[in-house]
Amino acid sequence: MTFNNEQAKYISEIIKIVAIAQFGYFGYKSLETPDHAIFYISGVVFIALSAIGTLILGLIKEDIKK
């Protein structure tokens, strides 16, 4: 699957927005309960989604150099 630069930027930003939104919702909600396991899971999902968004941009920049 190949994207042009604008598509890659758009998809990357959407993934990062989803990462922030899910962490804000699930992470904050879990802090209100005595069990904080969801907070840690949400943190891991946040990091994973942020990494995926960054990876998409990195792949496109490598493609430009070729």
Side-chain angles (χ1 to χ4, degrees):
M1 180 180 257
T2 59
F3 301 115
N4 65 29
N5 292 341
E6 295 303 315
Q7 289 172 328
K9 289 178 187 176
Y10 180 76
I11 291 170
S12 177
E13 287 301 315
I14 294 297
I15 290 172
K16 289 179 183 179
I17 289 169
V18 169
I20 293 168
Q22 74 81 27
F23 186 67
Y25 181 77
F26 294 111
Y28 180 74
K29 285 281 197 181
S30 68
L31 289 176
E32 296 176 342
T33 65
D35 183 20
H36 297 298
I38 300 295
F39 176 78
Y40 298 115
I41 293 169
S42 181
V44 169
V45 171
F46 171 79
I47 291 169
L49 287 174
S50 295
I52 290 169
T54 304
L55 178 68
I56 289 173
L57 285 179
L59 290 174
I60 297 304
K61 288 181 182 175
E62 287 178 9
D63 206 20
I64 292 171
K65 292 178 185 176
K66 291 181 181 179

